[in-house]
Amino acid sequence: MADWFPQAASTYVDMERGLYWTERGIKKKPNKDGTYPVVKRQILKDLGITVDYHDARNRIWENPEFLQCLADERRRRDLGLACVTQEIEKVVGPLHETRQKVIENVKTIFERPPDAEDPECLSPKDYVSSALQWIRYIDETEGRTESAKQQTLENIMADMAQANRVSTEMMGSAFDLLKQYREEQDKKLGLLVEGELVD
């Protein structure tokens, strides 16, 4: 195997995922299907290898050793995205759960009628005052656009993508991995509830 195959594979993946930028800061436009064109001559040029490489198709681009490097690089990138997604989920997930619990508890309080004598109820005065604050909060939340309604995982990753020039395809891959992970967890939880053994 040529010692430059791994670097060529890395540049190849950068190109196909829309992460490749020329020295002049120019990036190729995406294809109609959302993928980005791979310019193999440019890869060779970037690595300081002649662009007139004899039988490049068979000796490089369809070489089983190069294809293995390419598969390894794609897998490495996808696993990295999965790890990033899991780390963000560890931080964001509990915050959303806490927020939901707070809203549920407030809902329970307001489902009881105001009663100054009942220690578990708001007094009429507190009920009106708190209710107005919560109504304003609900109106503001519902009035925002979907992307600004709450700082969801999707918004955080979209911001990260813009800051790091990560393509839409990579974000889509990360969300797919996250969806699969959640589905697996839900399935395991369902088996556990039914009393079946879960590995």
Side-chain angles (χ1 to χ4, degrees):
M1 177 178 73
D3 58 1
W4 49 268
F5 273 10
Q7 185 59 45
S10 178
T11 305
Y12 192 107
V13 175
D14 279 345
M15 283 187 173
E16 70 180 1
R17 298 192 179 194
L19 300 174
Y20 180 87
W21 295 73
T22 67
E23 293 178 356
R24 293 179 295 169
I26 300 171
K27 182 172 73 170
K28 290 284 185 181
K29 293 182 179 179
N31 299 318
K32 290 182 179 179
D33 63 359
T35 61
Y36 288 79
V38 174
V39 183
K40 295 170 183 172
R41 290 175 60 88
Q42 186 65 47
I43 295 174
L44 295 176
K45 185 178 177 182
D46 288 355
L47 295 176
I49 298 168
T50 177
V51 295
D52 298 318
Y53 202 95
H54 176 64
D55 194 19
R57 179 176 175 182
N58 292 317
R59 295 177 65 194
I60 303 174
W61 314 118
E62 293 181 4
N63 184 316
E65 292 179 340
F66 174 76
L67 293 177
Q68 184 60 53
C69 288
L70 191 58
D72 291 343
E73 181 64 17
R74 287 171 177 154
R75 190 180 307 110
R76 186 185 71 79
R77 303 281 185 100
D78 291 340
L79 287 174
L81 279 173
C83 290
V84 169
T85 300
Q86 288 178 4
E87 289 302 313
I88 293 176
E89 186 76 352
K90 287 179 185 176
V91 176
V92 177
L95 293 177
H96 287 302
E97 289 175 12
T98 301
R99 180 178 180 275
Q100 190 59 37
K101 289 293 182 186
V102 169
I103 292 173
E104 287 174 6
N105 289 334
V106 169
K107 181 175 180 290
T108 301
I109 290 171
F110 280 100
E111 283 175 347
R112 294 194 296 265
D115 186 345
E117 305 301 321
D118 186 346
E120 294 188 357
C121 290
L122 291 170
S123 69
K125 179 181 178 181
D126 290 338
Y127 189 94
V128 171
S129 175
S130 298
L132 290 174
Q133 292 175 15
W134 276 94
I135 287 170
R136 278 195 297 269
Y137 168 77
I138 292 168
D139 287 345
E140 287 172 5
T141 300
E142 290 182 345
R144 296 177 189 143
T145 62
E146 196 62 29
S147 63
K149 186 182 252 186
Q150 63 184 33
Q151 189 68 359
T152 61
L153 176 62
E154 287 82 0
N155 290 329
I156 291 173
M157 292 193 73
D159 292 341
M160 184 179 73
Q162 188 175 12
N164 294 295
R165 297 189 221 165
V166 179
S167 70
T168 304
E169 291 74 29
M170 292 183 75
M171 288 298 101
S173 297
F175 291 134
D176 288 342
L177 289 169
L178 178 60
K179 183 178 179 183
Q180 291 172 11
Y181 173 78
R182 285 176 171 166
E183 287 174 352
E184 288 172 5
Q185 295 305 309
D186 290 344
K187 184 177 179 181
K188 287 181 180 179
L189 180 61
L191 292 173
L192 186 62
V193 169
E194 293 174 5
E196 297 183 29
L197 181 62
V198 179
D199 294 333

